[in-house]
């Protein structure tokens, strides 16, 4: 059962609607798509007899799994010195199938953050669109010059739109293709 994931997130993976003729290939495709979402431990689509001999009821049996990640990392760079990053991400944000991530970087000579968001079904089409908002501050130190900042510090705040991507039947992103 889906307690967290909204019903429409599951239903949009089907190319069948209620009342359509039963098509095993489309049911198998929907099952593959649900598994590829990576929101569920298990996915099974079962059939039961419907209200009449020409009707079939589809039962979607699934078990949700954790879709969030938390990470802490560290390293050293010749331009940034020692640095650490903490990030948290969610592949099924608010149970709506959205991707969201927040990361904070703190280093010897650089600091910043990144916020990312991806809508995988823009306007109910299989078109993914994402946006990144990030800020980076490069700190100057004695004897160390950061180009273009007059010896003080370089501070950047940028927004980047990720290109729209059409998702094909294998759920792989294809840039620049029309369907």
């Amino acid at each position: 059962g889906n307690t967290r994931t909204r019903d429409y997130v599951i239903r949009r993976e089907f190319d069948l609607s209620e009342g359509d003729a039963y098509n095993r290939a489309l049911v198998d495709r929907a099952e593959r798509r649900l598994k590829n979402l990576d929101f569920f431990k298990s996915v099974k689509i079962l059939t039961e007899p419907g209200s009449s001999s020409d009707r079939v009821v589809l039962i979607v049996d699934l078990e949700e799994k954790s879709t969030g990640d938390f990470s802490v990392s560290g390293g050293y760079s010749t331009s940034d010195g020692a640095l650490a990053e903490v990030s948290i991400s969610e592949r099924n944000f608010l149970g709506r199938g959205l991707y969201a991530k927040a990361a904070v970087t703190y280093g010897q000579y650089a600091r910043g953050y990144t916020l990312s968001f991806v809508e995988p079904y823009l306007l109910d089409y299989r078109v993914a669109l994402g946006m990144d908002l990030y800020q980076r501050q490069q700190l100057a130190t004695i004897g160390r010059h950061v180009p273009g900042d007059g010896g003080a510090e370089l501070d950047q705040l940028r927004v980047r739109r990720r290109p729209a991507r059409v998702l094909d039947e294998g759920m792989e992103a294809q840039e620049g293709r029309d369907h």
Side-chain angles (χ1 to χ4, degrees), residues 4 11 20 25 29 31 45 55 69 72 76 89-90 106 119 124 129 134 141 145 148 161 165:
R4 185 161 182 265
R11 288 177 182 263
D20 286 353
R29 181 186 300 165
E31 189 169 347
I45 300 177
R55 302 279 182 191
D69 292 309
V72 178
Y76 182 81
S89 65
E90 175 60 55
Y106 188 85
E119 165 59 75
D124 292 327
L129 181 66
Y134 59 97
T141 61
H145 177 71
R161 181 186 67 83
R165 301 177 313 178

Side-chain angles (χ1 to χ4, degrees), residues 85-120:
E85 180 177 274
V86 176
S87 70
I88 186 167
S89 65
E90 175 60 55
R91 294 186 319 273
N92 189 10
F93 188 60
L94 302 174
R96 296 174 184 225
L98 307 171
Y99 173 81
K101 179 179 180 179
V104 175
T105 303
Y106 188 85
Q108 198 171 355
Y109 305 121
R111 294 174 178 86
Y113 65 86
T114 303
L115 301 172
S116 300
F117 177 81
V118 177
E119 165 59 75

Side-chain angles (χ1 to χ4, degrees), residues 126-137:
R126 285 194 177 102
V127 175
L129 181 66
M131 183 164 288
D132 297 319
L133 171 70
Y134 59 97
Q135 185 270 337
R136 179 174 165 83
Q137 183 180 37

